Amino acid sequence: MSVDNFLDSNMLVYLFDDIDSYKQQKAESLLQSAIEHGDACISFQVVQETIKRSGDTRLNYFVA
């Protein structure tokens, strides 16, 4: 599979970061564009890294 954009864990972290609104808005815009154009992907590893970095213990179930 070939895509134009690969979304990394930083982008997901920024998406949920209320401290830096510029980065949060940029991440939201990039994700929205990726969904609309279908030209990006995200790996399961990136999702796992984001869950681990979130510190939300409720999500640990999904990261074995």
Side-chain angles (χ1 to χ4, degrees):
M1 170 158 83
S2 176
V3 295
D4 293 331
N5 300 295
F6 183 82
L7 306 176
D8 73 355
S9 57
N10 289 325
M11 196 275 314
L12 290 179
V13 169
Y14 296 150
L15 187 63
F16 298 103
D17 182 7
D18 294 329
I19 295 171
D20 191 332
S21 62
Y22 173 78
K23 288 181 180 179
Q24 186 179 41
Q25 290 171 354
K26 187 67 173 174
E28 187 175 339
S29 175
L30 289 170
L31 185 58
Q32 184 65 36
S33 177
I35 291 169
E36 288 175 4
H37 297 105
D39 64 351
C41 74
I42 188 168
S43 73
F44 185 69
Q45 179 180 348
V46 167
V47 174
Q48 285 181 313
E49 289 172 2
T50 304
I51 290 171
K52 283 189 171 198
R53 288 171 61 186
S54 77
D56 190 335
T57 57
R58 296 172 296 170
L59 300 175
N60 287 343
Y61 172 80
F62 298 104
V63 182

